[in-house]
């Protein structure tokens, strides 16, 4: 299935706002997506217009949690976004334990990593207690989903690793990240909120 047709199916069928839909998305990923298919999608994307590629390029980054992020599509109507997470080799620091503002489903395209899930109990002064509740190795062809507000982290392997994430629109106003040294939790806002705050700061400076 071509990338634009896959995106049409996703936008027509899913909101990813429930556990049932996330399970169904995992089924679609298992059925339709693999490394060869994503390689074809990358070739398709390179043929897109400068404007289209410019929009996606602005979303590309080396993520603070330690991987390269490439957005393949960003649907304005549904808010659903597809992105690749790429670890060229195990040169990244371990991720901090964190949650997400959105639900997402994952398929591992190549390589492997360890996925850890945590129970987090908030104490006073932004301090938390953490408890590892599940640790599983995710290998090529595996799928799983994760819900907004749940805590986890990924520990990369020594292999070049690539996964495809299909995420919902933002459900929560911010995500939370736990400092591993002092077990303090901070809030992390999306780029739109950060941009609005910067505009307000600039506006106030000009008054």
């Amino acid at each position: 299935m071509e990338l634009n047709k896959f995106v049409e199916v996703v936008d027509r069928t899913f909101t990813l706002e429930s556990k049932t839909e996330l399970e169904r998305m995992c089924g679609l990923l298992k059925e339709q997506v693999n490394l060869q298919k994503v390689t074809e999608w990358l070739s398709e994307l390179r043929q897109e217009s400068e404007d289209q590629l410019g929009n996606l390029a602005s979303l590309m980054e080396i993520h603070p949690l330690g991987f390269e992020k490439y957005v393949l599509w960003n649907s304005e109507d549904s808010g659903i976004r597809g992105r690749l997470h790429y670890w060229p080799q195990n040169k990244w620091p371990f991720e901090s334990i964190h949650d997400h503002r959105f639900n997402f489903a994952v398929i591992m395209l190549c390589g492997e990593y360890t996925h850890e899930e945590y129970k987090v109990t908030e104490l006073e002064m932004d301090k938390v207690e953490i408890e590892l509740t599940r640790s599983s190795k995710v290998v090529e062809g595996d799928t799983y989903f994760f819900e907004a507000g749940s805590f986890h982290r990924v520990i990369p392997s020594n292999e070049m690793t690539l996964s495809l994430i299909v995420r919902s629109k933002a459900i929560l106003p911010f995500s939370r990240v736990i400092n591993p040294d002092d077990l303090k939790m901070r809030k992390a806002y999306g780029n739109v909120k950060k941009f609005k705050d910067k505009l307000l700061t600039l506006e106030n400076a000009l008054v």
Side-chain angles (χ1 to χ4, degrees):
M1 187 182 295
E2 296 177 354
L3 177 57
N4 62 347
K5 294 190 180 301
F6 182 81
V7 174
E8 287 175 8
V9 169
V10 172
D11 278 352
R12 186 171 64 246
T13 313
F14 296 91
T15 65
L16 301 184
E17 294 180 12
S18 70
K19 183 176 179 180
T20 299
E21 288 213 342
L22 289 167
E23 290 173 337
R24 290 175 58 216
M25 174 56 70
C26 284
L28 180 66
L29 292 174
K30 193 85 169 177
E31 176 185 316
Q32 294 290 340
V33 180
N34 55 38
L35 183 59
Q36 179 180 346
K37 180 58 62 179
V38 168
T39 303
E40 293 171 4
W41 288 354
L42 295 178
S43 181
E44 289 176 41
L45 274 177
R46 288 191 293 104
Q47 310 308 315
E48 292 286 349
S49 69
E50 291 288 323
D51 287 344
Q52 173 67 15
L53 288 178
N55 179 47
L56 296 177
S58 69
L59 300 170
M60 180 182 67
E61 66 174 330
I62 296 180
H63 198 280
L65 291 173
F67 52 84
E68 296 179 17
K69 183 184 78 174
Y70 299 85
V71 176
L72 301 186
W73 78 87
N74 182 28
S75 299
E76 294 184 2
D77 291 338
S78 66
I80 293 176
R81 181 180 294 180
R83 64 195 205 189
L84 294 174
H85 290 185
Y86 175 49
W87 293 262
Q89 57 185 358
N90 191 9
K91 64 180 181 180
W92 310 106
F94 281 1
E95 287 186 352
S96 298
I97 298 167
H98 62 281
D99 70 355
H100 291 271
R101 299 182 301 135
F102 45 79
N103 299 329
F104 64 90
V106 179
I107 184 166
M108 182 66 77
L109 299 170
C110 66
E112 63 181 51
Y113 57 60
T114 299
H115 184 237
E116 295 184 342
E117 301 177 34
Y118 287 85
K119 176 184 177 183
V120 174
T121 303
E122 296 187 48
L123 306 175
E124 297 179 350
M125 303 294 292
D126 298 324
K127 292 275 287 186
V128 299
E129 289 181 344
I130 60 173
E131 177 187 350
L132 177 64
T133 58
R134 185 180 182 188
S135 179
S136 55
K137 183 174 286 188
V138 184
V139 301
E140 182 177 339
D142 285 349
T143 61
Y144 68 92
F145 65 87
F146 211 64
E147 296 181 273
S150 301
F151 284 90
H152 74 151
R153 72 172 176 177
V154 164
I155 301 176
S157 66
N158 290 319
E159 298 182 43
M160 188 272 284
T161 301
L162 183 70
S163 62
L164 174 69
I165 286 81
V166 181
R167 49 152 283 190
S168 72
K169 67 181 181 182
I171 294 172
L172 302 175
F174 51 79
S175 59
R176 296 167 293 178
V177 181
I178 298 170
N179 185 321
D181 297 324
D182 58 12
L183 293 183
K184 281 196 170 184
M185 186 163 64
R186 64 177 176 84
K187 297 175 181 177
Y189 291 88
N191 288 335
V192 172
K193 172 67 164 57
K194 293 175 186 176
F195 186 55
K196 286 183 176 179
D197 288 346
K198 290 291 187 182
L199 290 178
L200 180 58
T201 299
L202 178 59
E203 181 184 343
N204 290 336
L206 297 176
V207 172

